Amino acid sequence: AQKVTQAQTEISVVEKEDVTLDCVYETRDTTYYLFWYKQPPSGELVFLIRRNSFDEQNEISGRYSWNFQKSTSSFNFTITASQVVDSAVYFCALSGTGGFKTIFGAGTRLFVKA
Amino acid sequence: EAQVTQNPRYLITVTGKKLTVTCSQNMNHEYMSWYRQDPGLGLRQIYYSMNVEVTDKGDVPEGYKVSRKEKRNFPLILESPSPNQTSLYFCASSSSGSNSYEQYFGPGTRLTVT
């Protein structure tokens, strides 16, 4: 069975602090896909990144970076120099082979205070 | 504009009164899914569809039906809604192309069953 664990329910930081959101996953598939989505207070769900199981390269996009480690089954997300606009719920998700069935973590609510 | 639309956005109904939530996408995506979002549980997949006339159960299919008669539409049917189906529902679509399995979400439908 597949599982995604986001152990941090809520995180509160002050603007300009760095923050890392943890994601640990379980799957028996050899090919799988990992995602991060953002849900701001307005409620929509916004795609941030996808990683394939065969591509362990870390990625940086502006203030966002992702660290994928198959050895520890983790796909962590770091926001550097956080801003108030980063306040949102962040979801980590896992899709197995074929990309159909998708399991989401419970989400981490990030509060960034000015 | 590429988008996923859902209707209605808000719905209050009574136990046992059949309802349908519509979902439509204009991106020619093969894959579509329905999720429900409940506090502390993240998003849970109800049903997904790999293409026209091909659907399968997600993790929480009980009490729901779907159909995929056209590629762009994927309605969610609650034949006899119950209060435990009060939730926020999201439809999503994705493809197996270059943006493999990245899901585009609709704006959500907030359903209350009394």
Side-chain angles (χ1 to χ4, degrees), chain B residues 25-81:
Chain B
Q25 51 95 2
N26 63 1
M27 294 166 280
N28 202 36
H29 285 168
E30 310 95 276
Y31 309 140
M32 297 186 75
S33 287
W34 275 103
Y35 296 89
R36 60 179 289 173
Q37 182 178 6
D38 302 289
L41 298 177
L43 281 83
R44 293 179 293 167
Q45 195 172 37
I46 303 170
Y47 270 95
Y48 58 91
S49 171
M50 294 78 89
N51 216 321
V52 175
E53 302 289 4
V54 185
T55 62
D56 206 349
K57 297 176 181 178
D59 287 325
V60 288
E62 294 77 22
Y64 305 95
K65 284 178 59 177
V66 294
S67 68
R68 187 98 180 268
K69 293 182 168 48
E70 304 166 283
K71 197 171 186 179
R72 63 182 292 128
N73 296 324
F74 191 43
L76 179 69
I77 303 158
L78 286 72
E79 298 223 321
S80 185

Side-chain angles (χ1 to χ4, degrees), chain A residues 23-84:
Chain A
C23 173
V24 174
Y25 64 92
E26 295 176 26
T27 181
R28 292 181 181 169
D29 290 342
T30 52
T31 300
Y32 54 89
Y33 307 86
L34 294 162
F35 306 84
W36 277 95
Y37 290 87
K38 174 181 180 180
Q39 186 176 43
S42 51
E44 72 271 25
L45 283 154
V46 179
F47 166 82
L48 295 177
I49 190 171
R50 180 197 77 235
R51 260 292 168 262
N52 306 331
S53 53
F54 43 86
D55 178 6
E56 281 194 77
Q57 268 193 329
N58 292 327
E59 182 154 339
I60 298 174
S61 176
R63 296 184 296 106
Y64 294 173
S65 62
W66 290 270
N67 181 270
F68 176 27
Q69 292 197 345
K70 287 179 78 170
S71 60
T72 56
S73 296
S74 64
F75 186 42
N76 297 336
F77 173 28
T78 297
I79 302 174
T80 303
S82 60
Q83 299 177 2
V84 172

Side-chain angles (χ1 to χ4, degrees), chain B residues 17-31:
Chain B
K17 185 176 181 182
K18 181 180 179 179
L19 67 93
T20 299
V21 184
T22 64
C23 174
S24 183
Q25 51 95 2
N26 63 1
M27 294 166 280
N28 202 36
H29 285 168
E30 310 95 276
Y31 309 140

Side-chain angles (χ1 to χ4, degrees), chain A residues 83-108:
Chain A
Q83 299 177 2
V84 172
V85 294
D86 296 325
S87 296
V89 180
Y90 291 88
F91 292 100
C92 181
L94 165 69
S95 293
T97 302
F100 313 127
K101 288 203 72 169
T102 303
I103 301 293
F104 280 74
T108 297

